[in-house]
Amino acid sequence: MKLGSALISQIVFFILFIVLFIFTDYRGKDEISVAVNSFFRADPLVSISYLLATKSFTYLLLPGALMFIFSIVLGRFFCGWICPLGTIIDLVTNKIKKTVPIKFLKTS
């Protein structure tokens, strides 16, 4: 497996995802932790719904807005460079033995 810039980016974001996920546990306080807050700030859907609801922009939602803009401009940017599920799929795909080709995925 070639260790390119996309794979390095995926591994870094996967580790970041795992660390943030571990810190999202409930610790008896009714405050949003930094980890949960980071997930919300980077979520493009939260940014879009906030913009539509308030008709204003706050700099706290800049990561989500940037994620949305990069996805519009670069296509599947999030899936190929950041998404933790995409990382797992990329790492596991070559390990799975394919016995029968899936007919509807073949090109005509």
Side-chain angles (χ1 to χ4, degrees):
M1 179 184 305
K2 186 177 170 184
L3 197 64
S5 57
L7 183 61
I8 292 170
S9 171
Q10 285 180 324
I11 291 170
V12 167
F13 279 105
F14 182 73
I15 292 169
L16 178 66
F17 172 78
I18 296 296
V19 168
L20 289 175
F21 185 76
I22 290 170
F23 286 121
T24 58
D25 65 335
Y26 182 70
R27 295 192 174 120
K29 294 188 283 185
D30 289 334
E31 296 175 1
I32 296 178
S33 68
V34 173
V36 175
N37 201 357
S38 300
F39 279 127
F40 283 134
R41 287 185 187 178
D43 187 354
L45 295 176
V46 171
S47 296
I48 292 169
S49 62
Y50 178 85
L51 289 171
L52 291 174
T54 63
K55 296 181 180 71
S56 66
F57 183 78
T58 179
Y59 71 93
L60 295 174
L61 296 175
L62 188 61
L66 289 174
M67 195 83 62
F68 179 72
I69 291 169
F70 285 148
S71 294
I72 295 292
V73 173
L74 301 174
R76 296 182 55 121
F77 159 78
F78 181 79
C79 297
W81 288 77
I82 297 174
C83 179
L85 181 60
T87 304
I88 293 171
I89 290 172
D90 286 347
L91 293 175
V92 173
T93 299
N94 295 332
K95 310 280 190 263
I96 298 173
K97 291 184 181 181
K98 294 156 186 77
T99 56
V100 178
I102 301 173
K103 292 180 183 178
F104 66 88
L105 289 179
K106 286 186 173 182
T107 57
S108 310

